[in-house]
Amino acid sequence: MTAWFTGVEAIQGATPEWAALPFAGATLLGEVWILVIAMTLAYWFTGRRDIAALFGVSLTALSLVLVLKAVFGLPRPATGPAVPAESVASIARPFYERETTATTDGFPSGHALGATVTWGALAALLDSPSRRCRLLLAGAAIALVGVSRVVLGVHYPVDVVAGTLLGAGVLAVALPACRRLDDPATPALVAAVLAGCLAVLVTGGSGPAASAAGAAVGGLVAWTTVGHGPASLTPTVRGVGTAVVALGVVLTGGIGLGLLAGSPVGPYLGTALVGAGVLAFPASPIVR
């Protein structure tokens, strides 16, 4: 680990103090809820089954990375962030401290994997803007997430590289299947349920594993009952407003149910509602 620790020091040593908050913001591009919102909006405004499948693919990848973290059990860097929290404006300090604190094992990086799978798949599957522009934007997002994780002191470079390569491997398998199958979402969601169950067993039912499993089950139930013939929202002011309101209802409803149910079933129920809402909404009368 010595070489990789030196890599952390080299990257952090080149980080100016003013870049602390921008990197903390950039790491959000790999946060699971940001990725869920991006996938949801892409699906709602296209109604495409291959993009619906991305929900299952991403949950499968998330569960796999949780399993790998538990299996390898490798620690995170002890260096702390490149810029200490005391140097950040007090109003932004709680956010910065949250983004520079992690309690799970480090290898591989879940943020790097999630960013690679989600932004990479959207770049490959969407039709606009141009393919070159989509690839550049996706590459920039993935790179920013990877560098930010090292700058913030929560990952070694090897963690980020492993997460990115694992994400690329997932895409290499998933994208051809999404293009070939008439209904790629069903097998993707079944895989997500199986991977989620495995993650729950390996991690002893940790919060992230429970959330991934719950979302997969909710998504699969919704897709197999109402999600096969989705309509799509139109990119108008009304359509955007409808998407924002619906997304707010789905997310707050899921969070609220999770809190009301409490541990240990809360994470399962809350994210199950989110997964179901994401895949069922385009089939609702509001959209049709």
Side-chain angles (χ1 to χ4, degrees):
M1 273 296 181
T2 303
W4 291 107
F5 180 78
T6 303
V8 173
E9 289 186 322
I11 293 173
Q12 291 190 341
T15 304
E17 188 171 300
W18 60 263
L21 283 178
F23 273 118
T27 207
L28 293 177
L29 292 170
E31 287 276 359
V32 62
W33 287 110
I34 297 297
L35 301 178
V36 167
I37 290 172
M39 289 185 289
T40 299
L41 295 178
Y43 173 52
W44 286 1
F45 281 101
T46 63
R48 286 171 47 179
R49 294 184 177 188
D50 53 358
I51 295 180
L54 177 56
F55 190 73
V57 171
S58 297
L59 288 174
T60 301
L62 173 61
S63 294
L64 289 177
V65 84
L66 293 173
V67 170
L68 291 175
K69 283 178 181 289
V71 169
F72 286 105
L74 296 177
R76 296 177 184 267
T79 58
V83 179
E86 293 74 19
S87 300
V88 176
S90 57
I91 191 172
R93 198 170 297 163
F95 162 71
Y96 186 74
E97 290 177 339
R98 184 177 73 85
E99 296 305 323
T100 56
T101 302
T103 56
T104 59
D105 297 317
F107 181 88
S109 168
H111 279 67
L113 178 140
T116 302
V117 170
T118 302
W119 303 122
L122 289 177
L125 296 174
L126 291 177
D127 297 323
S128 63
S130 68
R131 184 173 185 273
R132 183 176 183 179
C133 182
R134 297 196 308 269
L135 291 175
L136 286 173
L137 289 173
I142 294 166
L144 279 172
V145 169
V147 174
S148 72
R149 303 306 287 167
V150 179
V151 169
L152 297 176
V154 290
H155 278 297
Y156 291 103
V158 68
D159 302 337
V160 171
V161 171
T164 302
L165 291 177
L166 181 58
V170 170
L171 289 180
V173 174
L175 288 177
C178 286
R179 294 188 176 107
R180 184 174 64 251
L181 299 174
D182 291 333
D183 175 23
T186 297
L189 289 165
V190 169
V193 171
L194 295 176
C197 292
L198 177 62
V200 168
L201 290 174
V202 172
T203 65
S206 68
S211 297
V217 171
L220 180 61
V221 170
W223 182 257
T224 53
T225 54
V226 299
H228 279 81
S232 61
L233 293 167
T234 55
T236 60
V237 172
R238 180 179 179 181
V240 172
T242 300
V244 170
V245 172
L247 190 58
V249 170
V250 169
L251 294 179
T252 56
I255 294 171
L257 178 60
L259 293 175
L260 287 173
S263 297
V265 298
Y268 296 97
L269 294 178
T271 56
L273 179 60
V274 172
V278 166
L279 294 178
F281 175 70
S284 69
I286 297 175
V287 179
R288 293 182 180 279

